[in-house]
Amino acid sequence: AKQSGRGRFSYFTRSMSERAEQRLALEHALRRALQDDELFLVYQPKFLLPGQRVFGAEALVRWRQPDGTVVPPDQFIRLAEESGLIHQIDEWVMLSACRQMRAWQEAGIAIVPVSVNVSLARLDVDRLLQGTRRALDATGIAAHMLEIEFTESQMFAQQDLARALLAQLKELGVSLAVDDFGTGYSSLSYLAAYEFDTLKIDRSFIHNLHESARHQAIVRAIIGLGHALGYRLIAEGVEKIEDAQTLQNYGCLGMQGYFFSRPLAAEDFAAVLMNAPAP
Ligand code: C2E
Ligand code: CA
Ligand code: CA
Ligand code: CA
């Protein structure tokens, strides 16, 4: 019994330490990624119906490893949050998005506002404000051309910090969006407490919207509430024309999703902007 007990124990510790080792290796690789510029951004256009004018884009981070493999954010953002590397990543993303906008402007391209995702998992209000200011100052991009998306579940976890942060970002002039709206715990109470510019309706409600009476009821209520509070509304994860039509019938005219466009390489998004009719 003793033998098997020890056996079990060592089995357990080995698998734990293997996992820890794997994490450590990944964390090490991620540090290197930041240093060696292995991260890059793709841009998913946001469309305004009925004309399908591109009115913005969301910058999404990708990691190209030395062997060419491209890693999606779902596979490293969580680890980055746990290890604290997320601050550097989000700062890098913000600065890179602003630099890209600047480069487009210098090439004579009429730009649209770009949004970035900022994690609140290890919120450091001063650092985030500094990073935002630095990105704007270093590039000369007007604050209203930058939008920051926060997920509501993360905001809920630290309401006082979030309140201070949002007020100061507002003062800077950047736009603020609630990401994944409808999936958090306190959607309604913090809509009363904070002032955002945009609500992004979570894609779980949008997926097959046209077939689900329940999702239709929820989405209509969110749209009504959003409009009554003066928010811009955008539906994310629009994959089917039927869902786009349903949303349009409900009066939600901002849409993002594979039906309209996948996230694009910077050059491809620039081509979209260049082909857009003048506003
Ligand atoms: P998110 O902010 O909800 O971003 C939208 C995700 O949905 C993106 O995945 C996008 O490619 C995907 N998507 C867009 N349209 C569709 C669609 O029609 N159908 C489906 N099924 N998916 C669609 P991505 O780029 O893999 O990003 C995943 C998540 O990673 C993001 O979710 C965001 O939470 C996080 N993330 C991405 N970039 C960053 C970043 O720079 N910083 C931080 N902190 N988080 C990031
Ligand atoms: Ca987002
Ligand atoms: Ca989202
Ligand atoms: Ca999400």
Side-chain angles (χ1 to χ4, degrees):
K2 202 175 175 192
Q3 185 71 35
S4 77
R6 197 164 54 223
R8 258 202 316 274
F9 181 69
S10 64
Y11 174 75
F12 183 58
T13 51
R14 183 168 65 231
S15 75
M16 283 230 316
S17 67
E18 270 168 16
R19 240 185 313 161
E21 235 166 73
Q22 229 176 17
R23 283 174 54 95
L24 217 61
L26 187 61
E27 192 182 321
H28 181 75
L30 195 50
R31 274 180 211 286
R32 187 203 60 211
L34 275 158
Q35 240 159 42
D36 298 357
D37 249 352
E38 291 172 15
L39 300 181
F40 66 102
L41 294 178
V42 290
Y43 297 84
Q44 188 174 34
K46 300 174 183 174
F47 294 82
L48 194 67
L49 271 69
Q52 303 200 15
R53 182 171 69 83
V54 174
F55 73 95
E58 177 174 8
L60 296 156
V61 71
R62 300 285 182 269
W63 174 10
R64 188 182 290 106
Q65 294 186 322
D67 68 356
T69 321
V70 173
V71 186
D74 286 339
Q75 288 176 36
F76 62 90
I77 291 294
R78 172 88 70 92
L79 175 80
E81 288 176 346
E82 287 166 7
S83 64
L85 285 172
I86 192 67
H87 293 131
Q88 269 167 274
I89 292 180
D90 285 348
E91 279 162 11
W92 180 90
V93 168
M94 209 150 20
L95 183 59
S96 303
C98 288
R99 279 189 178 143
Q100 183 62 77
M101 279 193 271
R102 181 57 191 245
W104 284 330
Q105 277 183 333
E106 284 174 351
I109 299 169
I111 59 170
V112 291
V114 170
S115 63
V116 297
N117 294 280
V118 167
S119 169
L120 297 178
R122 297 183 151 227
L123 177 56
D124 178 338
V125 173
D126 290 337
R127 182 163 179 182
L128 181 45
L129 282 167
Q130 250 172 39
T132 310
R133 261 193 223 107
R134 201 177 311 130
L136 295 171
D137 290 348
T139 58
I141 288 297
H144 70 273
M145 297 306 282
L146 180 67
E147 183 164 65
I148 304 184
E149 301 188 2
F150 296 107
T151 64
E152 56 168 329
S153 47
Q154 288 189 337
M155 237 154 2
F156 178 68
Q158 19 196 355
Q159 300 191 32
D160 292 341
L161 278 184
R163 192 188 309 276
L165 172 71
L166 295 179
Q168 294 184 75
L169 285 173
K170 223 22 276 213
E171 207 162 296
L172 263 186
V174 300
S175 300
L176 304 174
V178 189
D179 205 352
D180 302 346
F181 186 76
T183 58
Y185 300 101
S186 61
S187 315
L188 301 183
S189 62
Y190 77 67
L191 275 195
Y194 304 131
E195 277 182 52
F196 292 94
D197 301 284
T198 306
L199 291 190
K200 299 192 82 174
I201 308 172
D202 189 66
R203 70 166 176 267
S204 60
F205 300 117
I206 305 303
H207 185 69
N208 285 334
L209 178 68
H210 68 286
E211 291 178 335
S212 164
R214 290 176 160 263
H215 284 179
Q216 286 166 21
I218 291 170
V219 167
R220 292 177 85 148
I222 293 176
I223 292 168
L225 182 69
H227 281 155
L229 289 168
Y231 292 115
R232 278 193 296 270
L233 281 161
I234 175 160
E236 62 173 25
V238 182
E239 294 182 355
K240 295 198 173 113
I241 191 166
E242 294 88 342
D243 297 328
Q245 276 160 353
T246 306
L247 286 161
Q248 197 183 339
N249 290 340
Y250 294 167
C252 175
L253 303 180
M255 302 191 200
Q256 187 183 346
Y258 294 166
F259 173 69
F260 296 98
S261 173
R262 300 239 161 199
L264 301 173
E267 309 81 70
D268 296 333
F269 183 64
V272 169
L273 290 179
M274 283 189 286
N275 290 328

